[in-house]
Each structure stands twice: as C-alpha cells, then as structure tokens.
Amino acid sequence: MPMTIRDAYGPNRFGLSFELFPPKSAEGMTSLFQHVDELVKFDPSYITCTFGAGGSTQDRTLDVIAGVRDKYDVPVATHLTCVGLTSPQIGEYLARALDRGVENVVALRGDPPKGETAFTPIAGGFSYANELVGYIRRDFPQMGIAVGGYPERHQEAPSLAVDLDNLKRKVDAGADVVITQLFYNNDDYFRFRDSCESLGVQIPIVPGLLPVTNLAQIQRIASLCGAKLPPRFVAALEKHADDPAGQFSAGVDFAIEQAVGLLEGEIPGIHFYVLNKSEATRRVLNALPQFAEE
Ligand code: FAD
C-alpha cells in the first residue's frame, strides 16, 4: 500500500497517526507489536518511529518501522535528525529506508546530545531542519516529509514570531505536513494554526497529542519540551495521587476533552504520541464516535 504522508490529509480524509519509539530489548519489541496489534484496529493513516543519536538506535528505528510496515501493510515514516550525521550518511540511511518500504520521513534537527546545552552541527552535516528538508526534497523527491511545529514556541527560539518564520523555512524547503509538539491548551494550537495561515503556510498543521497517564509524566513533559499543563488538569491528577488507575482515567478524560475540542475546530488529523502503549489511545479513540471500534 504505497502512500506518502501528504495523501493522508484532504477534504474527505482525516489523518490519524501514531508515534512509536525503538524499544531497547527483545521483550520491549514483542510488547510493542502487541500494542500495535491493538492500534491498527483504528485503521491509522500511518505510523512513525522516533530516531535517536547513535548507530544501533538508528538501526532499531528502521527495524521497528519496516517491521510495522511488513506486518500490517500500513504506511510508515521514519523520524530522522541531523545529530552527528553528515549529509552522505543521511542519504545512505534514507536509501536503506526506501529499500525497506519506508516512504516518509519526519525530518528534524534533533536535540543537543546528553550533557550538551546547544546543538552543534558536525562538519558536512546540517544546522537546521530546513536544510535537511531541502536535501530530502532534492535527493529523495518521492518521499513524504513531515516537520515539527511548536504551538508554544521552540524552547531555543527568542519569540514565537521568529520560530514561525523558521517553520516557514521548512515549509518553503518542501515539507508536506507539520506535526506539532504536544500541548495541553487547545487555544495554543488554534492560535498557532492561524499564525501559520497568516504567513501563507498551506500544508496541514496536525496536532500532536500525548495523553498523560500518571503524575510522574508531568514533570518530564514540562522539563523536556516546556509544555504548560492547565492547573485544573494537574489538580485532577493530584486528586488521585495514591491511585494509579485514577490518574490514568483522569489523564484519559482530559485527552478525550482535548480531542473533542480540537475536532470541533476542524483539524486535518491527530498524531498520537502513544509511547509504545495502546490503552490510553484506545480509550480516547473509542470515546470519539467517528473512530470507535465496532
Ligand atoms: P528546527 O526547525 O531546525 O528548529 C530548531 C531551532 O532553531 C528553533 O528554535 C528554530 O526557531 C531555530 N531555527 C530553525 N531554522 C533556523 C534557521 N534556518 N536559522 C536560524 N534559526 C533557525 N527529536 C529526536 O531526537 N528524535 C525524534 O525522533 C524526534 N521526533 C520529534 C517529532 C515531532 C513531531 C516533534 C515536534 C519533535 C521531535 N523531536 C525529536 C524533537 C526535536 O528534535 C527538537 O524539538 C529539536 O530541538 C528541534 O528540532 P526541529 O526539527 O524542530 O528544529
């Protein structure tokens, strides 16, 4: 079923996508596929897998995503970053991806490696995601390209306006779709989408949703990407401080509310950060009549 990311969205098409990460162990891989077994029942438009720094992780990304494609015949995308790779190495990775039926890329700059505060490009590599997008568009024109967008501003950007100008560079370089960083205030997404439109961005701006399922995640989310959590949501989770099942349900309820609000605003699709699990996403989708399992 060859398909690029750009075909997932349209007047009569809603792009439902799921994001996985490469597990570290064989057990993790087995468990991942058990969860994907559940997720594919919702007929996703495509599934993606994140990309980390380091050779063995990168091979795992390709193994996961090509494995998903082979098992379920669903379109897939590999994430790809500029961290520590020269452009020939990036080209070699993409050629291998294409060989294995992976026709889409989520093209990113990547974060600075652990222990470093700033991203430093390597000689012969790329400094920003727009350069990576331009390279893929030129040398792998058949591939679909998604890029990251930040409704609350990328943490390194001095302002949302500057960040939006930089997002526009990625679109002008040939991106097909923007997938947003997770966020918990729908207004931030709608404002971001309006600003993109004002700048002349015409490609789909797809909201990324991560259902929070426990209190510990809150700290991580805030420190990793700076997403703000509404106080009433934090309070709802804290009410169940000693009850993991209660936290899980409160997180799912909030994600349902968020998805309903987004769907009312005519979004092109939803990208779920599923974190290699299926239950939270399943519960959210089953609460939405247009997606619920039979
Ligand atoms: P860029 O678009 O290059 O932006 C980085 C910063 O530089 C921004 O502040 C921007 O405003 C600025 N900037 C951009 N272009 C220019 C320019 N030409 N001149 C001057 N300034 C510029 N990380 C991973 O390591 N692996 C993953 O698999 C992964 N998947 C992700 C998926 C999604 C949907 C998202 C939203 C993020 C993902 N990330 C992943 C995180 C991402 O790598 C980081 O957020 C990273 O810090 C920025 O990547 P980017 O592609 O948005 O960078």
Side-chain angles (χ1 to χ4, degrees), residues 63-82:
D63 287 342
V64 167
I65 209 61
V68 166
R69 192 197 170 282
D70 292 345
K71 180 165 182 198
Y72 307 101
D73 197 21
V74 62
V76 292
T78 174
H79 293 216
L80 174 62
T81 73
C82 308

Side-chain angles (χ1 to χ4, degrees), residues 93-162:
Y93 179 84
L94 289 170
R96 282 199 291 137
L98 272 174
D99 262 0
R100 298 182 68 177
V102 180
E103 297 178 312
N104 300 289
V105 190
V106 183
L108 304 141
R109 184 202 67 181
D111 283 320
K114 268 208 179 80
E116 291 175 33
T117 49
F119 175 88
T120 319
I122 63 160
F126 299 121
S127 302
Y128 296 106
N130 66 290
E131 298 170 9
L132 175 62
V133 173
Y135 169 81
I136 301 170
R137 194 39 85 227
R138 194 191 66 223
D139 283 19
F140 298 87
Q142 68 275 50
M143 295 189 94
I145 306 175
V147 292
Y150 302 85
E152 297 180 71
R153 175 179 69 81
H154 183 259
Q155 280 179 311
E156 293 166 30
S159 69
L160 192 51
V162 169

Side-chain angles (χ1 to χ4, degrees), residues 18 33 48 51 66 69 108 129 136 162 176 185 232 247 262 280 290:
F18 300 129
F33 276 91
T48 80
F51 188 88
R69 192 197 170 282
L108 304 141
I136 301 170
V162 169
D176 296 305
N185 291 294
R232 74 179 172 85
Q247 288 172 38
L262 288 167
Q290 56 272 62

